[in-house]
Structure formats: C-alpha cells, structure tokens
Amino acid sequence: MLAACEAAPSAPKPPEERIAAFPAADRPVATIVSSRWSTEEARDRLNEAGRVMDKSGIKPGMTVADIGSGEGYYTIRLAQRVGKDGRVLAEDIVEDVRDALAERVARERLDNVSVRLGTPSDPKLPDASFDRIFMVHMYHEIAEPYEFLWRMRPSLRRDGTVVVVDANRPTRDHGTPPALLKCEFARVGYTQVSMEEMPSVGGYLATFRAEGPRPDPKTIRPCRLR
C-alpha cells in the first residue's frame, strides 16, 4: 500500500499565493456523503467509463489525474486504457478513502498508478503534467471552487483538458447545472470545449481548456445562477 501512496508533503506555496483572496461559491456546496456514486457492476453494464474515456480521447501513453477518485472506478479503468507507458494520479481529500484505494492499487499491481491526498482548495498537482484531469460526480462537493480551479490550471499540458461528469440538478442535490459549471470555469480562465448529455453517466459530460493567463484572484467574481 505504501508504494501506491505519495506521502511526501508538497512544497509550500509562495507567500503571495497563500494570502490571495478568492471568492466563496455563491451557491450551496454539497457535503461528501459517500466515496461511491453507484456500484461498479451497474456502471460497467452501461459502459460508463468506456464511453467517457472514448469521448475524452484517452489513449495509451497519456498522463491523467482522477480527482475525487473515491474507490477508484475510473482510476482502475484509466490505468488500463493509458497502459504501461501512461500514468494515472488518483487523488482524494479523505484519508481513509485514499488509503483504501492505495490498497486496491497495490493488490491489483497497477504500477502506472500513484495515489495521493489532496486538499479541499488545492489539488497540489505538478505543473504541466496532465493531458486530462477527470472530475467525476464530485465538482459540486468542492468547497472552494474558484481557488481549486485556479490552482489546478498550471498542471494541464498545452493541449490538456478537464473532463467533468455531473448531474444536471442543483448543487445542494449533488449536481451542477451546466450553465453554472460553464460560468465558474470561465471566471478562472477556462473555455468550454464541449457539453453533451449522457444519461448513461447520470447526467452530462463537459470538457474545458485553459486559455490565456490566470486571472488575479482579487478580480474573480462569483457566478449567480438565477
């Protein structure tokens, strides 16, 4: 299990980043109630991961982050798709969930997967490292979405994209309305590339690409969905 965990602490953020004032989300933030959205068997019957990976362009050799990885449904299948020349970083903010996934990764001998602990406001991902960042049925649980997305941006490679899977319902009901998702990403400098309804994944699939410089945190204004 220890081989699958990255226990070393991340380097401290520069002082100007630590004190930056980010706006709070102007909408409810869903509580984390479970590390499981549905059973893996039920999801595989609908070929959920396969469809999402196909539409996200996941190929052998890619480096992918699975944020809010939970029990590892996507982590395991992403590892199989990217192959021995690819890498998957699985991250969760709940230590027990992280440890359980690390045990699974070690048990299944997934040498191309590393597992680490993130924080509610900063995924602490290495710069210019990822072709894709997956956020599946978890965006509505991010307590500080603007800061989180802002700090996540540098970790994308030049043509990297963020893949969001969520339900089209209010955040308090464990979903994110597509218009709100697009607005919050845009406030931090991401452009929406695609948005597609996908009942087989319990909602929709949206992709985003970072464009231009990151905005000054003090200029970010929270979105209001009326």
Side-chain angles (χ1 to χ4, degrees), residues 22-183:
F22 290 87
D26 189 25
R27 41 83 170 171
V29 175
T31 56
I32 300 175
V33 295
S34 174
S35 61
R36 173 183 294 181
W37 176 72
S38 180
T39 67
E40 295 197 6
E41 295 78 9
R43 298 170 86 171
D44 276 345
R45 283 197 294 272
L46 297 172
N47 190 28
E48 177 188 331
R51 292 173 183 268
V52 170
M53 289 190 293
D54 288 345
K55 290 183 178 295
S56 304
I58 301 301
K59 300 175 182 178
M62 280 186 166
T63 300
V64 183
D66 182 13
I67 307 300
S69 51
E71 296 180 347
Y73 174 74
Y74 273 87
T75 299
I76 303 305
R77 289 151 183 82
L78 285 167
Q80 295 166 350
R81 179 71 68 94
V82 302
K84 62 182 180 62
D85 294 325
R87 295 290 300 171
V88 177
L89 188 152
E91 181 176 291
D92 207 281
I93 65 170
V94 180
E95 190 168 355
D96 289 346
V97 172
R98 185 277 312 266
D99 291 346
L101 179 54
E103 289 182 358
R104 180 178 183 181
V105 166
R107 185 171 61 250
E108 299 190 19
R109 300 181 183 277
L110 299 176
D111 296 332
N112 62 345
V113 176
S114 57
V115 184
R116 65 181 298 173
L117 194 67
T119 70
S121 61
D122 186 355
K124 299 183 182 294
L125 301 177
D127 288 352
S129 297
F130 298 99
D131 300 296
R132 301 288 185 272
I133 297 177
F134 274 61
M135 306 170 75
V136 179
H137 289 292
M138 56 76 66
Y139 182 79
H140 49 268
E141 297 175 350
I142 299 176
E144 302 289 343
Y146 299 104
E147 181 174 3
F148 192 95
L149 294 175
W150 191 90
R151 296 191 185 281
M152 186 177 75
R153 270 192 52 157
S155 67
L156 286 167
R157 290 177 172 166
R158 182 179 299 272
D159 294 323
T161 56
V162 182
V163 179
V164 179
V165 174
D166 214 337
N168 184 2
R169 55 178 178 251
T171 54
R172 64 176 176 273
D173 297 327
H174 290 269
T176 308
L180 177 64
L181 182 76
K182 181 179 181 179
C183 180

